[in-house]
Amino acid sequence: MKIKLITFAPHPNFGTCLQSYALNYVLRKMGHNVEFIYNDRENPPQSFIKVFMKGCIKLFLPKSFITSMKAKRQAGAINRHREPYILELPNHPFLYRLSKLPFYKTVYKLLKCRNLQWKKVYKFTYEDDNFNMRRIYTHKQYTEVTADTDLFITGSDQIWNPYCGGFNPMMFVEFGGDKKRVAYSSSISLPEIPASVKQRMKTDLEKFQHIAVRERRSVELLNKLLHRNDIKLVVDPTYLLLAKEWEEFGNKAEIEFTIPEKYIFCYFVGDKRADVYEQMVQEVKHFTGIQNVITLECYNRNLNYGNGRLYKDAGPYEWVYLLQHASYICMDSFHATVFALKFQKEFVHAMKNEDTETGSQNTRMYDILSRYGILYKNYNVGGNNGWQQPVDYARLTPLIESEIKDSIDYLKYEIEN
């Protein structure tokens, strides 16, 4: 079957990167012809002048000044934007024609690979046969893609969270005509759907034959919105690979330093609660007696924790390898939690957002921790030391394995029915 997969394209948010890989991998393993389509518009539209000014600022102003200004802007932006922004399907005929020129891929790679980390992400995405990628530039291409499709699958992660990159019509297959659409493990990750996008979301999702989501709250919201009772709860696609398959994946890592025998692995997507993360890491060092710390930062590449090593050059393979071999894991990441559970690791998690923050993504973490009876693994400043309690994997693993089997069966059902 010709399947077009739609989700966030790979980048150095490694959870996002690997959920894309996992669903693509599973579908190809089932024998389907899978093409990953994306439009590179997961950011709000920006004018040429704005892009040019940003480039000048980065070129002429000190990095410390830019970092300081960015921190002030982010601090002032909290709770300011009550409603999400709406993206548009791009239409760039000139850029499309440019992409057909012989030198385009070379220039694109040079611009994309601005450091070693991005070189690794680029290699993983475009050169290692992990994906069959097609970027969409024009409205005409959407028509061509639709004609060449048996089934659209919207994949996992927060593609339906309008505060996570905006409300993107690509993620709701608004261009898909009457072709079949299904969703696997798509996520809203909000306690409520914002009023400004509710009707448009309803109109889009009414065209989906089957919908499977990642959180119980998303099930409740969509059943109510669509007046249905068949919205399915499934696991994230990163669960669907065997631990052995992820181990083989991680063995492709090329790490530029000697890894300590024992170390605490830190992976933080956010930076608004950096002081909380630092306190958590220090407590973990004291509790475990492990002094070596390796930190991978997702977006803010300057934050280091626990007086350890800040590893800026990791790609997807290195992320999996370091997480698998860690003695203890500290994170604010949903997917780092999934992999910790997959590899049966001890960990502690801190929420990325304040619960009261507009667009807070904490719902997904409360869901997974409470669903598995491990909410005590959530770190609270000045709270008790419940996070020190080990995970009972003898109880938890059979539950997760049962959910994985059920989810794979439902994915097959979505495709075949």
Side-chain angles (χ1 to χ4, degrees):
M1 182 177 288
K2 292 182 180 180
I3 294 175
K4 297 296 185 284
L5 176 60
I6 305 172
T7 182
F8 293 135
H11 55 74
N13 180 327
F14 294 121
T16 293
C17 192
L18 294 175
Q19 63 82 23
S20 303
Y21 167 83
L23 186 52
N24 184 77
Y25 176 91
V26 170
L27 292 171
R28 290 170 72 173
K29 194 175 176 182
M30 289 179 179
H32 298 292
N33 180 353
V34 184
E35 186 175 43
F36 191 121
I37 62 172
Y38 68 107
N39 59 17
D40 210 29
R41 288 299 299 276
E42 289 144 14
N43 293 314
Q46 295 181 349
S47 67
F48 173 79
I49 294 176
K50 190 172 183 180
V51 173
F52 178 76
M53 290 299 294
K54 281 187 174 182
C56 290
I57 288 172
K58 290 181 179 179
L59 187 62
F60 295 111
L61 293 180
K63 184 179 291 186
S64 59
F65 177 79
I66 295 173
T67 301
S68 175
M69 292 298 294
K70 186 182 293 185
K72 290 179 181 179
R73 186 177 71 250
Q74 289 175 343
I78 296 175
N79 288 335
R80 185 195 306 159
H81 302 292
R82 296 291 178 180
E83 296 297 337
Y85 49 78
I86 309 295
L87 299 177
E88 297 179 1
L89 293 176
N91 189 34
H92 302 302
F94 174 76
L95 193 58
Y96 173 70
R97 289 193 293 270
L98 197 65
S99 72
K100 297 300 181 181
L101 297 176
F103 61 82
Y104 179 83
K105 287 185 178 180
T106 302
V107 174
Y108 179 79
K109 182 177 180 179
L110 288 172
L111 294 173
K112 198 77 170 175
C113 298
R114 51 187 177 268
N115 53 50
L116 181 54
Q117 183 182 69
W118 268 105
K119 287 179 182 177
K120 290 180 177 180
V121 173
Y122 186 94
K123 181 177 181 294
F124 162 82
T125 306
Y126 297 103
E127 299 177 349
D128 288 354
D129 194 34
N130 291 321
F131 302 94
N132 177 19
M133 304 287 288
R134 188 198 293 197
R135 180 176 173 181
I136 308 298
Y137 296 92
T138 67
H139 290 171
K140 182 181 177 181
Q141 282 183 285
Y142 286 107
T143 303
E144 294 170 350
V145 163
T146 300
D148 188 43
T149 300
D150 297 320
L151 172 67
F152 288 105
I153 296 183
T154 60
S156 185
D157 218 350
Q158 300 180 71
I159 60 171
W160 292 349
N161 181 349
Y163 288 107
C164 188
F167 184 98
N168 191 340
M170 176 82 166
M171 303 300 174
F172 293 91
V173 204
E174 289 190 1
F175 58 89
D178 59 357
K179 288 298 176 75
K180 182 180 177 183
R181 305 153 165 80
V182 302
Y184 180 82
S185 194
S186 303
S187 172
I188 298 174
S189 193
L190 294 171
E192 299 292 341
I193 300 173
S196 61
V197 299
K198 184 176 287 188
Q199 184 55 49
R200 184 165 178 174
M201 187 180 293
K202 180 176 185 293
T203 301
D204 289 342
L205 295 183
E206 283 176 338
K207 298 176 183 177
F208 279 66
Q209 282 75 14
H210 302 292
I211 298 176
V213 293
R214 203 173 65 179
E215 298 95 20
R216 288 178 296 189
R217 183 55 181 162
S218 294
V219 172
E220 296 168 358
L221 290 173
L222 293 182
N223 273 330
K224 182 178 179 181
L225 178 70
L226 302 174
H227 305 292
R228 293 168 64 163
N229 59 7
D230 64 340
I231 308 300
K232 177 73 173 178
L233 178 68
V234 293
V235 298
D236 187 87
T238 52
Y239 275 116
L240 302 182
L241 276 66
L242 300 173
K244 182 180 179 181
E245 290 175 303
W246 282 123
E247 181 179 354
E248 292 172 353
F249 179 93
N251 285 339
K252 298 177 184 179
E254 297 179 0
I255 298 174
E256 295 78 14
F257 59 92
T258 302
I259 302 170
E261 182 179 352
K262 291 185 177 182
Y263 61 92
I264 298 166
F265 178 73
C266 297
Y267 180 67
F268 297 109
V269 178
D271 58 6
K272 297 175 183 177
R273 309 185 74 208
D275 55 336
V276 174
Y277 301 160
E278 177 62 27
Q279 182 175 327
M280 180 175 72
V281 174
Q282 292 294 346
E283 289 189 28
V284 170
K285 288 177 67 175
H286 178 76
F287 169 64
T288 62
I290 300 171
Q291 297 304 306
N292 292 311
V293 179
I294 300 175
T295 295
L296 270 66
E297 271 294 297
C298 181
Y299 298 113
N300 189 333
R301 290 164 52 81
N302 297 306
L303 290 174
N304 193 14
Y305 297 95
N307 301 314
R309 173 187 286 271
L310 176 59
Y311 185 29
K312 294 185 177 184
D313 298 329
Y317 303 125
E318 290 76 21
W319 187 85
V320 171
Y321 185 91
L322 288 169
L323 194 150
Q324 181 193 356
H325 292 87
S327 303
Y328 209 95
I329 302 167
C330 298
M331 71 289 229
D332 67 352
S333 159
F334 173 90
H335 284 101
T337 304
V338 170
F339 275 87
L341 294 172
K342 192 77 180 177
F343 291 134
Q344 299 190 4
K345 294 290 182 177
E346 286 301 328
F347 66 92
V348 59
H349 179 279
M351 292 297 173
K352 175 184 170 184
N353 306 103
E354 298 289 348
D355 289 341
T356 56
E357 184 180 331
T358 299
S360 171
Q361 300 173 8
N362 292 349
T363 300
R364 59 192 180 139
M365 289 313 309
Y366 285 124
D367 180 89
I368 190 173
L369 295 176
S370 61
R371 195 162 92 221
Y372 294 147
I374 53 174
L375 194 56
Y376 58 85
K377 281 296 183 181
N378 182 46
Y379 179 82
N380 291 301
V381 179
N384 57 42
N385 293 326
W387 59 268
Q388 297 179 2
Q389 179 182 337
V391 178
D392 182 3
Y393 281 107
R395 173 191 67 83
L396 188 55
T397 300
L399 171 62
I400 295 175
E401 291 298 326
S402 176
E403 288 189 344
I404 291 171
K405 182 182 182 304
D406 186 47
S407 297
I408 291 176
D409 288 344
Y410 190 75
L411 178 59
K412 291 177 180 177
Y413 171 80
E414 285 189 305
I415 296 170
E416 295 168 2
N417 293 273

